[in-house]
Amino acid sequence: MITLVKTSMKLLLRTWGFWFFLLITPLLSTVILKTNFDSSAAYESSGYDEYAGSRIRELDTIDQKVAYFGGRGECVIKVYDACHSDLSEYFLKKLADKGLYRICRVNLTDSKSSPDPVTKEVRDQQIKTDGFGDRMGAAVWLAPDFDRLVKEGKTQDALTVYVLSEDSRVNVLEQEIKDQLSGMKEMNYDTAALKEADSHLPSKKVVMVSLGDNGVVLDTEKTNQKTQMGYAFAFMTLGFVFCGIFVAHTSIQEQKNGVYTRINLTKAGSMEYFGSKFLTSFLVSVMLTAVMGVCSLILDVDDMGMNRGSFLLLIFLIGMIFSSLSMLVGILIGEVMSANIAAFALWCLSSLFSGLYFPLNGASAGVKALSSVMPQTWFLKGVEKIFVGDNSAYFMLICIAAAYLIINLSLGSLGLKLRRSSGWGNS
């Protein structure tokens, strides 16, 4: 077997395509992990605001529906902001920072959101329409001269609250508004002084929130890191898939040259032969993981969301699955071009149905069932667990990888025997 492995490795190292995927895919994955972007909207995340971790969703138009922003059971409050001053901005951010509500604000001072001036009649009609045609806990109207009115103590004229549901959290809203206005009054409604006072408060950083249907629910930062990790997995699995195919190419050449037939005339059988290719794919996976390890030196913990050892372990395990799987497909197909097409189709479909490109939260039951067969799905769940400090993720991923590898090894040996019995390798 060692001789077979050495021969396969020599053939691989002479192939320029093997070197291309060995070096390029880890570099692309590193670039993805180093790139910062916001994917919270795709995951129906709330999107934490820059100031004090607030959660304010900006609406494009006055009639935009807000029911979709309460997908996780949040109490949605739609705010018609006709003032949009620093003071009203501070008031809404402090209200949202309490975490009881999802604030959806339409800026009525923006001509794009509201082309025509919003009169009292238009306002009442819109709120009535929202009450029947949308789903929210309450609606809040901020008057155009909000700043002046609150400073004069005319809070009833400055803002109006419309209760549009029986959600018990709405009952707390009135007292919450009073508390915020009282705190603003103590600082004489000076926005700069208010922010200065808030800067001395203990900072709040969300690391983990409650469990959900898919294991855990991540905050915006971790959601972005999970999305980046998914894209990195997509590029890395492409590298492993084609490196595994190059291992299969060596087997196809040996089949055409009668080498496999001569091997079967010796004491070595199909199991040992496929085992040598499996060991070759293992060495290839080690090489790809090592290159990724070198590239990851420019990444820090914030880029990966986990320590470097955990990151490389995930890469190696998922790499072993795909390199052995693509090698299995290539050997059983027995033709170079068809094997390449099958490998690329395997990578595309598995990445698509595993949720690496976009979340499958709203997919049908059939698609979700298909997704559970894809290895990347389980690795993304493992990433979520690692992000929130759940060490059971490592055992889960090792078991998942072992199961796929056993299946690949068994199917490969069985497939070679069937192909041999049908005349494969005797030409």
Side-chain angles (χ1 to χ4, degrees):
M1 180 181 291
I2 300 300
T3 303
L4 293 174
V5 172
K6 288 182 178 179
T7 302
S8 298
M9 290 302 299
K10 288 180 181 178
L11 292 174
L12 283 176
L13 296 177
R14 295 172 185 172
T15 307
W16 69 267
F18 171 77
W19 285 101
F20 174 82
F21 286 101
L22 181 67
L23 299 176
I24 296 300
T25 50
L27 286 174
L28 291 176
S29 300
T30 304
V31 171
I32 288 293
L33 290 173
K34 199 65 179 175
T35 304
N36 296 322
F37 56 89
D38 183 9
S39 62
S40 58
Y43 284 88
E44 296 182 357
S45 177
S46 56
Y48 281 73
D49 199 88
E50 297 177 356
Y51 180 74
S54 300
R55 301 189 300 172
I56 298 179
R57 174 70 64 175
E58 300 292 347
L59 303 179
D60 296 328
T61 60
I62 190 173
D63 57 351
Q64 183 176 347
K65 303 293 184 181
V66 301
Y68 308 107
F69 301 124
R72 290 176 180 166
E74 297 92 342
C75 180
V76 179
I77 306 297
K78 185 173 183 179
V79 177
Y80 302 88
D81 189 355
C83 180
H84 204 263
S85 64
D86 291 341
L87 189 61
S88 67
E89 185 80 5
Y90 175 85
F91 167 73
L92 292 177
K93 286 179 178 179
K94 291 294 290 183
L95 190 65
D97 191 39
K98 292 298 180 180
L100 288 175
Y101 316 105
R102 172 74 65 83
I103 303 297
C104 298
R105 187 255 304 277
V106 53
N107 179 13
L108 298 181
T109 63
D110 186 357
S111 59
K112 294 181 180 179
S113 302
S114 178
D116 301 322
V118 179
T119 62
K120 182 180 183 302
E121 291 74 17
V122 173
R123 177 193 69 185
D124 293 342
Q125 181 60 42
Q126 182 60 49
I127 292 175
K128 182 179 179 180
T129 301
D130 289 339
F132 286 102
D134 204 349
R135 186 178 64 188
M136 65 188 75
V140 176
W141 163 265
L142 298 185
D145 48 354
F146 173 83
D147 294 16
R148 179 183 62 83
L149 291 173
V150 294
K151 290 177 182 179
E152 295 176 357
K154 300 177 181 179
T155 55
Q156 293 183 349
D157 297 328
L159 59 89
T160 307
V161 178
Y162 299 83
V163 178
L164 300 176
S165 75
E166 297 180 355
D167 193 323
S168 59
R169 288 170 290 185
V170 178
N171 299 330
V172 187
L173 180 62
E174 183 178 357
Q175 184 59 45
E176 194 68 50
I177 291 175
K178 290 180 179 179
D179 291 342
Q180 295 302 329
L181 293 176
S182 177
M184 293 162 58
K185 183 179 180 181
E186 292 179 2
M187 290 292 177
N188 199 27
Y189 304 102
D190 187 341
T191 307
L194 289 167
K195 291 183 178 181
E196 175 64 24
D198 288 343
S199 66
H200 298 291
L201 296 175
S203 60
K204 179 179 71 174
K205 181 178 181 181
V206 179
V207 176
M208 176 183 177
V209 291
S210 60
L211 294 179
D213 296 336
N214 295 325
V216 294
V217 178
L218 304 176
D219 62 23
T220 303
E221 179 184 1
K222 293 302 182 183
T223 297
N224 291 335
Q225 289 177 333
K226 174 192 171 184
T227 304
Q228 289 175 284
M229 191 68 71
Y231 292 146
F233 279 163
F235 280 109
M236 283 304 299
T237 51
L238 177 64
F240 283 108
V241 162
F242 275 95
C243 285
I245 279 295
F246 286 120
V247 176
H249 287 181
T250 64
S251 178
I252 294 172
Q253 291 299 321
E254 290 168 351
Q255 167 248 318
K256 290 183 177 180
N257 296 331
V259 175
Y260 178 68
T261 302
R262 293 194 294 271
I263 291 174
N264 276 283
L265 294 177
T266 65
K267 295 181 179 180
S270 299
M271 185 68 177
E272 186 174 352
Y273 177 78
F274 189 79
S276 69
K277 299 302 179 183
F278 187 85
L279 183 56
T280 302
S281 69
F282 171 81
L283 296 176
V284 169
S285 298
V286 171
M287 294 173 65
L288 260 168
T289 305
V291 175
M292 186 68 226
V294 174
C295 294
S296 69
L297 294 177
I298 67 173
L299 302 173
D300 52 31
V301 176
D302 292 334
D303 296 324
M304 297 180 291
M306 63 185 73
N307 63 66
R308 203 176 311 279
S310 300
F311 172 68
L312 293 179
L313 176 64
L314 294 182
I315 294 296
F316 174 73
L317 291 177
I318 197 172
M320 273 298 299
I321 294 173
F322 276 92
S323 62
S324 61
L325 180 60
S326 61
M327 176 194 64
L328 163 66
V329 171
I331 289 177
L332 295 183
I333 290 178
E335 200 274 318
V336 172
M337 183 58 68
S338 298
N340 291 339
I341 295 173
F344 187 74
L346 174 70
W347 172 74
C348 287
L349 293 177
S350 63
S351 297
L352 178 66
F353 286 107
S354 62
L356 292 188
Y357 302 140
F358 47 81
L360 301 177
N361 299 337
S364 65
V367 172
K368 289 183 177 180
L370 183 60
S371 175
S372 64
V373 182
M374 306 302 169
Q376 301 101 311
T377 300
W378 296 99
F379 276 82
L380 284 181
K381 291 182 179 180
V383 167
E384 292 180 346
K385 289 179 177 290
I386 293 174
F387 280 171
V388 297
D390 187 351
N391 291 327
S392 65
Y394 300 106
F395 180 73
M396 179 192 76
L397 294 177
I398 290 174
C399 291
I400 292 294
Y404 277 103
L405 293 177
I406 291 172
I407 293 173
N408 291 344
L409 185 58
S410 301
L411 291 178
S413 301
L414 178 62
L416 282 175
K417 288 181 180 180
L418 294 176
R419 295 295 298 271
R420 183 188 176 194
S421 64
S422 62
W424 184 79
N426 295 324
S427 56

